[in-house]
Amino acid sequence: RFSLLLLNLEEYYFEQHTANHIINKGCRDERKFRGSLKICSKSIIFEPDDNIQPIIKIPLRDCISIKAPEDNETNNPFTRDTSGGISVVCNQVFLIKERNIIAPYKTVRGRTEHLFQLDVAGKLGDVVQTLHQLYRASCLDKMGDQAAMITAILQSRLARTSFDKNRFQSISETLHMECKAEMVTPLVTNPGHVCVTDANLYFQPLNGYPKPVVQITLQNVRRIYKRRHGLMPLGLEVFCTENDLCSDIYLKFYNCQDRDELYFLIATYIENHVTEHTAESYMLQWQRGHISNYQYLLHLNNLADRSCNDLSQYPVFPWIIADYSSSVLDLTKPETFRDLSKPIGALNKERLDRLLTSYQEMPEPKFMYGSHYSSPGYVLFYLVRVAPEYMLCLQNGKFDHADRMFNSLAETWKNCLDGATDFKELIPEFYENDSSFLVNSLKLDLGKRQGGKMVEDVELPPWASGPDDFLQKSQEALESQYVSEHLHEWIDIIFGYKQKGSEAVAAHNVFHPLTYEGGVDLNSIMDPNEKVALLTQILEFGQTPKQLFTIPHPRRIIPKLKSLSRTSSHSVSITESPVSPNEESFEDLTEESITLAWNNIAKLKSDERYKIHKEAITGIAVTCNGSSVFTTSQDSTLKMFSKESKTIQRSVSFSNMALSSCLILPGDTTVISSSWDNHIYFYSIAFGRQQDTLMGHDDAVSKICWRDGRLYSASWDSTVKVWHCVPGETLSSKKHHFELLAELEHDVSVNAIDLNAANTILASGTKEGTISVWDVTTATVLHQTEYLNMVFGCCFFCLLFFFTDSRHLLSAGEDCCFKVIDVQTGMLISSVTAGEPQRCFKWDGNTILSGSQSGELLIWDLLGGKVIERIKGHTGAVMSMWMNEQCNSVITGGEDKQIMFWKLQY
């Protein structure tokens, strides 16, 4: 029945002794109860073996005397049978869990004496001495002085002990590190020793509670997070699961060095087994529908220092539903949902106006809200029915007043809209599968409301048939299309750029400065009493999550068509399909073949290879029927290779300078090649001659694209030019007519360009590593991102049958990283380290096929951030790559002067 929750906040449990509690010693009605005597830093607790009897808690500050027989005072109650006896006289005692019922503590006031007889009499002197020390600490006037003395006693105990190496799982384990720490659970911490070996992480509590040692196999660790605990960077949380809400252990260290060293040891061990996820990598998975809204919010909470083990930083989830009165919940109506672009305090305009008036009149530091959206009290407000002992611990052995309990969803929502000081959000439990927190299954006596009604189960809205149905509908609401389209707005407020500064003021999202990370430096406060008071105030008030994003968060990509073959079952729902269920269009079949190809891309096999150039191959283009392959090379030639005859049928040299790329115009009549001699050459396939020359740049032309009658050319002269091209009549001597439509100026040479599907947005990459995203229609820059290394290539992700627009841009450069940018916001949302430069690539948004500097073809799981297959290819760098529309045939050109043909073999 004993738990650490019987302790006060910031109290430690030191040791226990088997003992008898003797009542009315020496009298006719003397009674003796066997149990366990617990010595804690602020109290003495006796837990009887008999569950009918109450647990007795004696606050040390309420003790009048603590004596043992060797005190030799007159009228000593231990005149007969004095072995191992302790007399505690106090003026207040708490009785807890009488008849093993969880209920508010009973307080017995007045002078009483309690006699405890230890089984091991030899420990009596040490126990009494410890109690006297702790009693002196509890009698100090100031909380800071009390905390300092108790900390000194604790550190002395830890220094006299060490981890018991006999607890190792194997005698062959190698010790890497041992230090002092505390295991953190909600509201309480438990001091002890941490030990890391080459195979396990151990924690041995100083008091042996709840078990002698906690052991975690490093091989099972999946995630590890540094935590801010008590406003200090001292926490470390370890998860052995990928998606669970609760961790396997949360440790608080006494200094940053120990925490960081342990983190390094564990992270080093697991880095070869587990990919470390960032907010950006989870964002990419969320945008693509690979993880649900719920999972994404859970990951963001984890990354923002929110933990189920820390009630002052408990995971925060949004109110989603605003309708608690209708008999049917209609998730197709926007008015069913809460406005996710505003914090709770700004949802009611009248209340907000009053708050803003007070804010304007307030001296610095200003804040709009006198309470937070997440605090220990709010968390336990929701969870009191399943975690009553936590509520009793937080509120000194009492439940809240019955009318302030979590009685009704409708009432709670209304109070959050109208209440003068109620701005709370929700907790993850509202979107999970366990509805027990809504039901008083423990039959707790939570009090009687005005009107005489007892507090029982939570009153649900009419549209919910029961607690499970309520959770099911809440989950559906969270994953609905409306929420998927607007969740990024709430993320901006809680985790993003509207959390601090002028954006927070504009969004009416300003809380007390002390709630923000970095709002106070505890190390700079010398007065221990001021430090304890400040820490207590902040921990009880609540804390704002760590800021994860400093620019607007991208929206989720909402599929418009019926196919979601590459998304998870947790993705957003599809409201309409333009294709009837029984129809199967040509587009459906093409989509299925593309999906099948990318799902099996690791089965790509080399078919044939031919050495056709004298220098590295720089570009590949293939005719629509696949019969002819055109290649450009640094040897200055354009060659036409026949797949059928396996011979070179044309070889053309436009100048003595290298050619950098090539493409075939629609109709397969003309090949365009770009050259280092500043020119772009048009070659007629039908007539086998140079048809035209565009002298459009002042330095080498590095890349060309053709879209809808427009030519886009990138150059080392620091420009990208957009040309309207009117083809000349093939049978006459008329030349092409070129009209310069736009010139996009850069600071340095441009190496790579690509356009989105709508031809409205162009991305360019420079030799210095800058990625620019341009609005082609206005010739203006939308976003720029500095990567500091030469960009080899960039490519929009646009899979025609999945999304209506191109949202993500993939780039690769000399920094050996793949980087994914959200085009709308310019935010870097994923970065995967390749280990060597990747010179060319194709991707479907999830999987990358890349050609490496070493000549291998690599297949990447972008969401998982790892290589899933390496395929031997060229003997030098892979310089260029072509893939057919069905994505089942690939041609690569290498530094080894060869072209290689690849086919998928299912």
Side-chain angles (χ1 to χ4, degrees), residues 142-370:
K142 297 181 178 179
M143 294 297 295
D145 295 337
Q146 288 185 28
M149 185 169 178
I150 290 171
T151 298
I153 295 170
L154 170 63
Q155 292 300 322
S156 174
R157 284 173 162 261
L158 288 170
R160 295 197 304 268
T161 57
S162 62
F163 185 87
D164 181 3
K165 308 302 188 295
N166 293 321
R167 295 288 181 180
F168 283 178
Q169 293 288 300
S170 168
I171 58 173
S172 62
E173 286 186 62
T174 303
L175 175 65
H176 287 323
M177 177 187 178
E178 180 181 351
C179 66
K180 299 175 288 185
E182 296 176 13
M183 188 168 77
V184 179
T185 52
L187 300 181
V188 290
T189 61
N190 202 11
H193 295 275
V194 170
C195 195
V196 183
T197 70
D198 54 351
N200 294 288
L201 167 67
Y202 298 97
F203 176 76
Q204 186 171 30
L206 187 65
N207 50 35
Y209 179 87
K211 54 185 179 179
V213 69
V214 177
Q215 177 255 329
I216 292 176
T217 304
L218 294 181
Q219 195 171 356
N220 294 335
V221 174
R222 289 294 170 269
R223 293 176 289 148
I224 180 170
Y225 298 98
K226 292 181 180 180
R227 293 289 189 224
R228 176 178 48 137
H229 186 272
L231 304 185
M232 300 286 284
L234 300 173
L236 188 73
E237 194 162 21
V238 179
F239 292 78
C240 291
T241 57
E242 191 58 49
N243 294 309
D244 279 6
L245 181 63
C246 296
S247 65
D248 290 80
I249 194 168
Y250 187 142
L251 297 170
K252 171 198 168 186
F253 296 81
Y254 295 111
N255 58 71
C256 295
Q257 293 76 18
D258 285 345
R259 192 276 302 269
D260 292 345
E261 184 178 350
L262 189 74
Y263 177 89
F264 175 78
L265 288 171
I266 298 177
T268 302
Y269 179 88
I270 68 173
E271 68 180 353
N272 296 323
H273 305 82
V274 181
T275 302
E276 182 179 1
H277 286 292
T278 61
E280 289 77 15
S281 66
Y282 284 125
M283 183 200 301
L284 183 61
Q285 294 185 57
W286 172 71
Q287 280 195 288
R288 297 285 171 75
H290 286 258
I291 59 175
S292 64
N293 291 338
Y294 169 82
Q295 290 170 325
Y296 186 46
L297 290 176
L298 205 59
H299 289 310
L300 292 184
N301 272 284
N302 261 324
L303 291 167
D305 277 346
R306 314 301 285 189
S307 167
C308 291
N309 285 306
D310 185 351
L311 296 188
S312 68
Q313 298 188 92
Y314 202 78
V316 56
F317 270 60
W319 282 95
I320 293 295
I321 299 168
D323 178 4
Y324 294 94
S325 59
S326 300
S327 57
V328 177
L329 185 67
D330 188 349
L331 297 181
T332 64
K333 293 164 54 179
E335 53 267 31
T336 298
F337 300 93
R338 163 259 184 103
D339 185 349
L340 289 165
S341 68
K342 299 176 181 178
I344 289 291
L347 292 177
N348 181 329
K349 187 178 184 307
E350 290 182 8
R351 178 177 66 176
L352 179 62
D353 289 342
R354 293 194 299 270
L355 292 168
L356 290 178
T357 300
S358 300
Y359 174 75
Q360 300 298 336
E361 298 170 352
M362 187 180 296
E364 294 292 344
K366 294 184 175 185
F367 53 91
M368 296 178 184
Y369 307 113

Side-chain angles (χ1 to χ4, degrees), residues 699 702 715-719 746-752 765-770:
D699 205 336
S702 54
S715 171
W716 294 356
D717 66 5
S718 308
T719 66
H746 299 68
D747 294 331
V748 293
S749 301
V750 183
N751 284 351
T766 70
K767 74 171 187 178
E768 290 188 354
T770 300

Side-chain angles (χ1 to χ4, degrees), residues 434-652:
D434 185 359
S435 62
S436 58
F437 75 100
L438 300 169
V439 182
N440 187 14
S441 56
L442 296 176
K443 304 301 178 188
L444 301 168
D445 182 358
L446 298 173
K448 186 179 293 185
R449 304 184 65 184
Q450 289 182 0
K453 187 177 180 182
M454 296 297 295
V455 175
E456 292 293 347
D457 299 345
V458 177
E459 184 180 330
L460 302 174
W463 46 257
S465 61
D468 291 340
D469 185 56
F470 170 77
L471 291 191
Q472 176 65 33
K473 287 185 168 67
S474 296
Q475 291 170 19
E476 292 171 4
L478 179 62
E479 305 303 332
S480 66
Q481 181 161 334
Y482 177 90
V483 174
S484 292
E485 290 174 347
H486 295 277
L487 187 59
H488 65 284
E489 297 172 334
W490 186 82
I491 292 171
D492 283 336
I493 292 169
I494 304 300
F495 303 106
Y497 81 110
K498 292 183 179 179
Q499 188 196 90
K500 297 178 181 178
S502 60
E503 293 288 354
V505 175
H508 306 131
N509 191 39
V510 182
F511 294 86
H512 195 286
L514 294 180
T515 68
Y516 295 92
E517 183 178 29
V520 61
D521 180 9
L522 287 181
N523 290 324
S524 67
I525 301 174
M526 296 296 104
D527 184 344
N529 301 298
E530 181 185 350
K531 183 181 292 188
V532 168
L534 189 63
L535 183 60
T536 302
Q537 174 189 346
I538 294 170
L539 296 184
E540 291 181 357
F541 186 88
Q543 297 176 66
T544 301
K546 181 182 359 180
Q547 188 175 26
L548 299 179
F549 310 106
T550 55
I551 60 176
H553 190 286
R555 292 182 58 177
R556 195 174 196 186
I557 299 172
I558 308 298
K560 299 299 182 185
L561 301 185
K562 69 176 185 177
S563 175
L564 280 173
S565 56
R566 293 185 66 84
T567 61
S568 74
S569 60
H570 297 290
S571 184
V572 293
S573 59
I574 307 304
T575 55
E576 293 183 10
S577 171
V579 183
S580 64
N582 295 324
E583 291 182 18
E584 188 159 38
S585 66
F586 172 76
E587 286 81 4
D588 291 328
L589 295 173
T590 304
E591 178 190 350
E592 289 178 8
S593 67
I594 291 171
T595 301
L596 180 65
W598 277 103
N599 285 341
N600 291 276
I601 199 72
K603 297 177 182 176
L604 203 63
K605 303 294 181 185
S606 173
D607 189 26
E608 298 169 318
R609 67 173 68 202
Y610 303 95
K611 185 175 180 180
I612 61 174
H613 282 279
K614 295 178 181 179
E615 296 293 340
I617 295 171
T618 57
I620 302 172
V622 182
T623 55
C624 287
N625 61 11
S627 62
S628 298
V629 179
F630 287 85
T631 57
T632 51
S633 170
Q634 290 180 5
D635 64 10
S636 77
T637 62
L638 168 71
K639 299 199 181 226
M640 175 179 170
F641 181 83
S642 171
K643 285 188 68 177
E644 294 177 5
S645 64
K646 300 178 174 46
T647 58
I648 298 173
Q649 295 188 331
R650 308 267 178 93
S651 181
V652 184

Side-chain angles (χ1 to χ4, degrees), residues 122-135:
K123 294 184 177 180
L124 181 64
D126 291 339
V127 172
V128 172
Q129 184 180 5
T130 298
L131 287 173
H132 284 166
Q133 273 187 316
L134 296 171
Y135 172 70

